[in-house]
Amino acid sequence: MHTNPTHSSLVAVGDSFTEGMSDLLPDGSYRGWADLLAGRMAARTPGFRYANLAVRGKLIGQIVEEQVDVAAAMNADVITLVGGLNDTLRPKCDMGRVRGLLEEAVEKLAPACRQLVLMRSPGRQGPVLERFRPRMEELFVCVEELAERHGAVVVDLYGAASLSDPRMWDVDRLHLTAEGHRRVAEAVWQRLGYDPEDTEWRTPMPATVPPGWMTRRVTDARFARQYLLPWIGRRLTGRSSGDGLPAKRPELLPYEGPAA
């Protein structure tokens, strides 16, 4: 049931998914689903305020340490929290610790806002997802349990066939395209109780002829050289793509930008 609620502020907490990679704008910055959602909410509510504390590459421990207390202190109407997936992609991942940190985050954020939004993150079809699927699904079970205990809502992107389509993912195979981010914004919008602007966001893209064997091999080789090997290098040296980067929108300020 949609109620078209009124929200005066939004704070987004998380990693690259919430920062908006790979929804690249002409000026070289990233937009993403959280900016799109803020634009829609701002169009309905004069003076709407928005902060996005997300930084690419952050693990759940870093999100808790660097973002959660800051977000809680803002007392926003809506807080979104998406984190832990980067942890599940690490070779050595202590899922007990991940669950504990996620619980700590939810316990701090839920009382600090009118509505906390959690997510079952989308997963791209392919061997990488299959390798880490058990950890991801363990994380998502924890998300569901925490939401039930603390009155949060869960946006189920993992169960949306449209978002598992490789065509919804950028060439790095880790981040959604602009169309993928648009669909995520629609999903969150509807879960917050607003009337749908796109009732078909879950509908998969029309089928197309798959690329030939040679094209796939060339694409795989380019992906490995440009993205996979650097990613492995960062893991081996303990570095992150977000090292030294500030939060995207560190202050809860009036949102100015185009509505989605």
Side-chain angles (χ1 to χ4, degrees):
M1 179 179 179
H2 300 281
T3 60
N4 281 325
T6 299
H7 298 110
S8 64
S9 52
L10 167 68
V11 176
V13 174
D15 52 32
S16 60
F17 175 70
T18 301
E19 184 184 345
M21 298 173 72
S22 291
D23 186 5
L24 190 64
L25 294 173
D27 66 359
S29 65
Y30 293 109
R31 182 176 54 178
W33 65 266
D35 284 13
L36 292 169
L37 178 65
R40 288 190 184 188
M41 298 169 81
R44 287 178 172 268
T45 308
F48 180 85
R49 296 175 301 153
Y50 170 52
N52 189 325
L53 307 180
V55 177
R56 67 196 71 171
K58 293 300 182 181
L59 302 173
I60 186 61
Q62 295 169 309
I63 291 172
V64 170
E65 180 180 353
E66 300 168 12
Q67 300 179 31
V68 167
D69 287 340
V70 177
M74 291 178 174
N75 295 118
D77 282 353
V78 178
I79 297 178
T80 65
L81 168 64
V82 187
L85 202 61
N86 282 335
D87 297 78
T88 68
L89 299 178
R90 297 291 177 110
K92 296 180 180 179
C93 174
D94 182 346
M95 286 304 297
R97 181 173 182 273
V98 171
R99 293 194 305 271
L101 288 165
L102 187 60
E103 182 173 10
E104 179 182 344
V106 171
E107 288 178 345
K108 290 182 177 181
L109 294 176
C113 63
R114 282 175 50 194
Q115 185 61 70
L116 178 62
V117 178
L118 307 177
M119 295 188 196
R120 285 161 44 94
S121 303
R124 182 185 187 275
Q125 293 175 359
V128 173
L129 176 62
E130 293 308 313
R131 178 180 177 185
F132 296 106
R133 186 187 296 274
R135 290 180 184 173
M136 292 173 60
E137 294 186 345
E138 182 178 347
L139 177 68
F140 298 154
V141 168
C142 180
V143 166
E144 296 279 4
E145 292 173 347
L146 289 171
E148 185 174 356
R149 291 209 306 269
H150 295 277
V153 297
V154 177
V155 181
D156 184 15
L157 306 174
Y158 184 66
S162 62
L163 293 175
S164 67
D165 188 324
R167 292 172 294 175
M168 286 287 180
W169 296 77
D170 194 37
V171 293
D172 66 1
R173 305 183 184 182
L174 286 174
H175 301 106
L176 291 169
T177 62
E179 173 61 15
H181 280 284
R182 185 196 68 78
R183 295 193 185 211
V184 172
E186 179 66 34
V188 182
W189 174 259
Q190 292 184 25
R191 193 66 182 89
L192 285 170
Y194 294 99
D195 285 337
E197 295 189 10
D198 176 12
T199 59
E200 302 297 323
W201 75 267
R202 289 180 173 271
T203 302
M205 297 172 66
T208 58
V209 177
W213 183 89
M214 181 57 71
T215 299
R216 295 198 304 273
R217 298 294 76 78
V218 170
T219 300
D220 288 345
R222 184 180 300 119
F223 160 72
R225 183 175 64 255
Q226 294 182 357
Y227 300 102
L228 181 59
L229 292 178
W231 183 84
I232 292 173
R234 290 195 298 270
R235 299 292 81 76
L236 293 175
T237 57
R239 293 179 292 115
S240 166
S241 58
D243 288 347
L245 294 180
K248 183 176 184 179
R249 292 176 60 97
E251 298 181 71
L252 188 60
L253 297 174
Y255 177 75
E256 296 181 0

